[in-house]
Amino acid sequence: MRDNALIRACLYFFIAAIPAFITDISQFKTFSEISQTTLVVIIANFILQGLIAVRAFLDQSISRSGEKKKKVELING
């Protein structure tokens, strides 16, 4: 089950990060046009967008596990 969660978290990360990367990089015609500062901003945006998606995934997973515990308590109670 943990492997499944890790794969899903990676998918969330890349599905959110790749479009941001494509949007940022599409402004340039050649790689030589990208300065070091711009490259750092592009990489930071890529990582940030991915981490925001992973955070949403984790929050969703935590709330779902809490709901399952409540259902079990109601059935057992």
Side-chain angles (χ1 to χ4, degrees):
M1 186 69 177
R2 285 187 154 201
D3 293 334
N4 186 24
L6 181 60
I7 291 169
R8 289 181 62 208
C10 288
L11 285 173
Y12 270 73
F13 181 91
F14 286 110
I15 288 170
I18 289 173
F21 177 75
I22 291 170
T23 302
D24 289 344
I25 203 108
S26 67
Q27 301 172 22
F28 305 100
K29 293 181 181 176
T30 62
F31 288 116
S32 62
E33 293 178 16
I34 302 173
S35 69
Q36 288 183 348
T37 306
T38 305
L39 183 62
V40 169
V41 170
I42 290 171
I43 292 170
N45 190 33
F46 177 84
I47 293 170
L48 181 64
Q49 295 301 318
L51 289 177
I52 290 169
V54 170
R55 169 78 190 270
F57 168 72
L58 292 174
D59 287 348
Q60 177 187 9
S61 297
I62 290 169
S63 67
R64 283 186 179 175
S65 67
E67 290 174 6
K68 288 180 184 178
K69 287 180 183 178
K70 287 179 184 177
K71 288 179 183 178
V72 170
E73 288 175 2
L74 290 175
I75 292 171
N76 291 335

